[in-house]
């Protein structure tokens, strides 16, 4: 069970995510999607039960967990004194990426921010910071990718490209867990979705989940 200060955010949740699979969390604003994501990556303690990764309780301070899990939960997880390029290079090199300069340059181009790569994050627009945060998740290897509303502040073309990219990474063995309000993104990426509510959290096939999330907004 997840929530804040003994107040549950949604009904109890039981889920398992295997390599090469993708699960979306869906539901209206306030359904608990972000709270559940933060709990599953160790940023919030569960109210009841246990979050496990590779059979061990989640501890986001553990080096092995940080090595395996790439996450984009907000757009402000940057070193304020580093440019976007420097941040990506630090991330890539810290995870042992060979040819880090080339990898970073490719991701900057993919996310359309190469012309703003050498300014501080504070000088970027909110949409550009979102793209930089997403690029940081892809400049490094990972076994699990966790995203909170990855479509947020992206134009339609970039949303489509990102969904296709995530689906390709999933097909290559990456496990993907994300919260979303974008039905098209969900249809492209997921195997199934977990609909959160106060009464019951239940798994749905993609098309049924896309229908259920129409008009939802977390």
């Amino acid at each position: 069970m997840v929530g804040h200060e003994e107040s549950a955010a949604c009904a109890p949740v039981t889920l398992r995510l295997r390599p090469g699979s993708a699960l979306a969390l869906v539901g209206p604003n306030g359904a608990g999607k972000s709270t559940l994501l933060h709990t599953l990556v160790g940023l919030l303690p569960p109210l009841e039960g246990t979050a496990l990764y590779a059979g061990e309780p989640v501890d986001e301070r553990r080096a092995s967990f940080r090595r395996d899990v790439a996450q984009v939960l907000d757009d402000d997880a940057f070193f304020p004194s580093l440019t976007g390029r420097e941040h990506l290079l630090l991330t890539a090199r810290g995870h042992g990426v060979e040819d880090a300069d080339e990898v970073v340059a490719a991701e900057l181009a993919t996310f359309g921010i190469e012309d703003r790569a050498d300014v501080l994050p504070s000088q970027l627009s909110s949409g550009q910071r979102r793209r930089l945060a997403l690029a940081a998740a892809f400049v490094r290897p990972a076994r699990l990718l966790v995203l909170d509303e990855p479509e947020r502040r992206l134009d339609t073309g970039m949303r489509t490209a990102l969904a296709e990219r995530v689906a390709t990474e999933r097909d290559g063995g990456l496990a993907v867990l994300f919260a979303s309000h974008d039905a098209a993104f969900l249809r492209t990426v997921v195997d199934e979705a977990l609909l959160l509510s106060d009464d019951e959290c239940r798994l749905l096939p993609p098309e049924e989940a896309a229908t259920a999330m129409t008009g939802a907004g977390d």
Side-chain angles (χ1 to χ4, degrees):
M1 184 174 291
V2 302
H4 300 271
E5 299 179 354
E6 307 304 318
S7 178
C10 60
V13 172
T14 300
L15 62 86
R16 174 175 291 185
L17 189 63
R18 291 182 169 84
S21 64
L23 175 69
L25 307 180
V26 300
N29 285 339
K33 300 184 296 296
S34 295
T35 300
L36 179 54
L37 289 180
H38 280 74
T39 302
L40 292 175
V41 299
L43 298 177
L44 285 174
L47 298 182
E48 294 180 13
T50 307
L52 301 176
Y53 176 78
E56 298 288 336
V58 167
D59 184 350
E60 61 92 21
R61 299 166 298 180
R62 187 180 298 133
S64 59
F65 184 80
R66 289 177 172 266
R67 179 193 65 224
D68 286 353
V69 181
Q71 53 186 280
V72 181
L73 301 181
D74 59 56
D75 304 333
D76 298 311
F78 303 114
F79 297 102
S81 61
L82 297 183
T83 66
R85 187 187 308 275
E86 289 168 339
H87 176 81
L88 296 184
L89 285 170
L90 180 65
T91 301
R93 289 169 178 162
H95 286 274
V97 173
E98 297 183 4
D99 302 319
D101 290 278
E102 290 80 2
V103 171
V104 166
E107 293 300 341
L108 288 167
T110 295
F111 285 96
I113 50 173
E114 63 266 51
D115 60 336
R116 301 289 288 163
D118 297 309
V119 303
L120 298 176
S122 60
Q123 297 173 284
L124 299 174
S125 69
S126 61
Q128 290 167 340
R129 285 197 301 274
R130 185 61 171 175
R131 293 180 184 215
L132 180 61
L134 290 165
F138 288 101
V139 297
R140 44 153 297 180
R143 296 175 61 194
L144 171 63
L145 177 63
V146 181
L147 306 170
D148 195 356
E149 296 184 27
E151 72 276 4
R152 187 190 312 153
R153 291 192 288 278
L154 300 181
D155 60 37
T156 301
M158 183 58 69
R159 287 185 180 199
T160 300
L162 178 62
E164 292 172 351
R165 171 79 176 277
V166 173
T168 298
E169 298 287 345
R170 175 209 62 207
D171 291 344
L174 181 69
V176 182
L177 175 65
F178 67 98
S180 180
H181 294 295
D182 188 317
F185 196 101
L186 182 147
R187 290 187 181 100
T188 300
V189 175
V190 305
D191 307 291
E192 55 186 357
L194 184 67
L195 177 63
L196 304 187
S197 74
D198 292 336
D199 300 322
E200 179 187 19
C201 297
R202 56 194 178 96
L203 289 170
L204 301 175
E207 197 57 45
E208 187 175 344
T211 300
M213 70 194 295
T214 301
D218 194 11

